Amino acid sequence: MGLLSKKDSKLILDPLADNNPITIQVLGICSALAITAQLKPSIVMAISVVFVLSVGNVVISLMRNIIPSKIRIIVQLIVVATLVIIVDQVLKAFAYSLSKELSVFIGLIITNCIIMGRFEAFALANKPWPSFLDGIGNAAGYGLILIIVGFFRELLGSGTLFGFKVLGDSVEKTGLYAIGYENNGFMVLPPMALIVVGLIIWVQRSRNKELIED
């Protein structure tokens, strides 16, 4: 990243791997369980959180010197709620069917621990530019796990990606289905999301022993 300093690059890259908010900090798990049965809503949720967290971090950073400490949580909630409403309205305007599918979960972005955590831990103590990068990095790290989980759950559970058949036709028995492959119905159930996240955590910590806690 030639345009960014080493410190700025670290703000974006660390949450993608060794400080990932889901696999390392174990935050934001609920939405990973709820909306990853298919790849498309996983990507939309990831983009939504990138917008809310990056813009929210900037807003909180700009206001950090004028927010009274006693009401800072209320201010943070107002900021994140406003941004979530914007996301919800944009989805209703340009992707109505998807907004109906995700409406409850988009609203629950307000309760995402990653967002309030970054407001408190970073934006309140740093300038707008690093806060923006921190928001991009942490939301991208969160979104990356959602997309990985959504990819495997839709592919193995339904044999499709983005709704398109990629393993063949399960009715006419073409592609992999011709040699006996069957969709794994368990993959589309919420518990399987937790298992896939657990497998990602296992692989990540197997590759980097420093992530294993004593």
Side-chain angles (χ1 to χ4, degrees), residues 85-160:
I85 289 172
I86 291 173
V87 169
D88 189 46
Q89 292 301 307
V90 169
L91 284 177
K92 284 180 178 175
F94 297 102
Y96 184 68
S97 60
L98 196 56
S99 77
K100 288 178 66 178
E101 183 180 345
L102 284 173
S103 60
V104 173
F105 303 109
I106 290 295
L108 288 176
I109 291 176
I110 296 173
T111 65
N112 192 315
C113 305
I114 299 171
I115 294 175
M116 295 299 288
R118 297 322 296 170
F119 285 177
E120 277 285 297
F122 197 92
L124 279 174
N126 289 278
K127 295 180 179 179
W129 176 242
S131 296
F132 175 73
L133 296 179
D134 178 80
I136 292 287
N138 279 278
Y142 163 85
L144 176 63
I145 300 302
L146 257 64
I147 291 170
I148 292 173
V149 175
F151 175 87
F152 284 109
R153 290 185 69 195
E154 181 175 354
L155 180 64
L156 301 178
S158 304
T160 63

Side-chain angles (χ1 to χ4, degrees), residues 154-170:
E154 181 175 354
L155 180 64
L156 301 178
S158 304
T160 63
L161 288 175
F162 296 107
F164 295 102
K165 298 175 181 176
V166 296
L167 299 184
D169 192 310
S170 59

